[in-house]
Amino acid sequence: MQPELISFKELGDERGALVALEQCHNIPFEIKRVYYIYGTQENVRRGFHAHKELEQVAICVKGGCSFSLDDGKEQAHCRLESPTVGLYMGAMLWHEMYDFTDDCVLMVLASDHYDEADYIRHYDTFIEMVA
Amino acid sequence: MQPELISFKELGDERGALVALEQCHNIPFEIKRVYYIYGTQENVRRGFHAHKELEQVAICVKGGCSFSLDDGKEQAHCRLESPTVGLYMGAMLWHEMYDFTDDCVLMVLASDHYDEADYIRHYDTFIEMVA
């Protein structure tokens, strides 16, 4: 498997840079939730779950972090470190994030509100479900 | 007039911090677009427009910047420099942003897709419209 990376156009001029994300245009779903992770402590790994339905796009708007992805058959890794690159994560994709830079702000756009029932938090359960 | 600031709950633990924004919950509209401004050059002022209909919430997810707001009758100023504080800007509010820190990432959630026809780019026109 390959990580599904999306390139965003940077609208830059003499003032600085701007990136615009629009639902159902360069983001392939309706944006119902936006969350951001920052102040991540050294050597922390986050994630360790998959979603039954949720789709997400993750972008490091500052700094960088790495992703480990697992669809139950294959694994992939990638590093995000540009505000113009997003990682699309569809349903049923186990993911972990690590190697956050001190200044990292990881922003994630999600296709739905928070719903604990949509989370698969045990890897063994995940593997059974995708088998 | 007072700037309409919204406080967001920081979900912090030993791993770091996370803030979640949900449309029609802590964001008072449907999130159709998200844009972010970064790499802003020193002494730059941005904005200089109002919107006929668009609603927005602006958050400095990294660094800080200042806002000047004008509803046609009164002016207000505020500084954003926390990932847990958003500035709500409704329709018909002239706004300018300035004093960006070098590391500033200003994220804005918007209630609609980009539409040039929704912009009021001349201050005189804005003043006539709100009179």
Side-chain angles (χ1 to χ4, degrees):
Chain A
M1 65 175 293
Q2 288 294 318
E4 293 185 53
L5 298 173
I6 309 174
S7 284
F8 303 120
K9 187 175 173 187
E10 186 181 71
L11 305 170
D13 58 26
E14 73 290 349
R15 300 173 297 174
L18 185 153
V19 169
L21 311 177
E22 296 202 324
Q23 70 177 27
C24 309
H25 288 179
N26 54 0
I27 299 298
F29 49 75
E30 289 188 12
I31 304 165
K32 296 195 179 169
R33 182 163 51 113
V34 176
Y35 61 92
Y36 40 97
I37 290 169
Y38 55 97
T40 306
Q41 302 299 304
E42 212 179 336
N43 298 322
V44 160
R45 289 179 79 95
R46 297 193 70 132
F48 298 101
H49 63 263
H51 289 282
K52 295 174 193 165
E53 307 252 336
L54 193 73
E55 298 174 86
Q56 301 186 96
V57 171
I59 303 146
C60 279
V61 294
K62 188 78 182 176
C65 76
S66 295
F67 279 74
S68 167
L69 308 169
D70 182 340
D71 65 6
K73 299 186 181 71
E74 291 182 90
Q75 295 190 331
H77 303 273
C78 66
R79 185 157 182 86
L80 296 183
E81 50 192 354
S82 165
T84 65
V85 177
L87 171 64
Y88 172 77
M89 295 185 288
M92 301 307 286
L93 185 68
W94 188 266
H95 55 280
E96 301 175 15
M97 295 91 85
Y98 57 99
D99 281 354
F100 289 80
T101 59
D102 283 348
D103 63 346
C104 181
V105 180
L106 174 63
M107 181 179 79
V108 184
L109 311 186
S111 66
D112 212 340
H113 290 116
Y114 176 80
D115 175 11
E116 185 58 37
D118 186 64
Y119 281 73
I120 306 165
R121 295 197 182 273
H122 295 285
Y123 186 73
D124 292 349
T125 308
F126 168 68
I127 292 297
E128 280 172 26
M129 289 177 74
V130 293
Chain B
M1 65 175 293
Q2 289 293 318
E4 293 184 55
L5 298 173
I6 309 174
S7 284
F8 304 119
K9 189 176 172 186
E10 186 180 71
L11 306 169
D13 58 25
E14 73 289 349
R15 299 173 297 175
L18 185 152
V19 169
L21 311 178
E22 296 202 324
Q23 70 176 28
C24 308
H25 288 180
N26 54 0
I27 299 298
F29 50 75
E30 290 188 12
I31 304 165
K32 296 196 178 166
R33 181 163 52 113
V34 176
Y35 61 91
Y36 39 98
I37 290 170
Y38 56 97
T40 307
Q41 302 299 304
E42 212 180 336
N43 299 322
V44 160
R45 289 180 78 96
R46 297 193 70 131
F48 298 100
H49 63 263
H51 288 283
K52 295 175 192 164
E53 307 251 334
L54 193 74
E55 297 175 84
Q56 301 186 97
V57 171
I59 303 146
C60 279
V61 294
K62 188 79 182 175
C65 75
S66 296
F67 279 73
S68 168
L69 307 168
D70 183 339
D71 65 6
K73 299 186 181 70
E74 290 183 89
Q75 295 189 333
H77 303 272
C78 67
R79 185 157 182 86
L80 296 183
E81 50 193 353
S82 165
T84 65
V85 177
L87 171 65
Y88 171 77
M89 295 184 287
M92 301 307 287
L93 187 68
W94 188 267
H95 55 280
E96 300 175 14
M97 296 91 85
Y98 56 100
D99 281 354
F100 288 79
T101 60
D102 283 349
D103 62 347
C104 180
V105 180
L106 174 63
M107 182 179 80
V108 183
L109 311 186
S111 65
D112 212 339
H113 290 116
Y114 176 81
D115 175 11
E116 185 57 38
D118 187 63
Y119 281 73
I120 306 165
R121 294 196 182 273
H122 295 284
Y123 186 73
D124 292 349
T125 308
F126 169 68
I127 292 297
E128 280 173 25
M129 289 177 75
V130 291

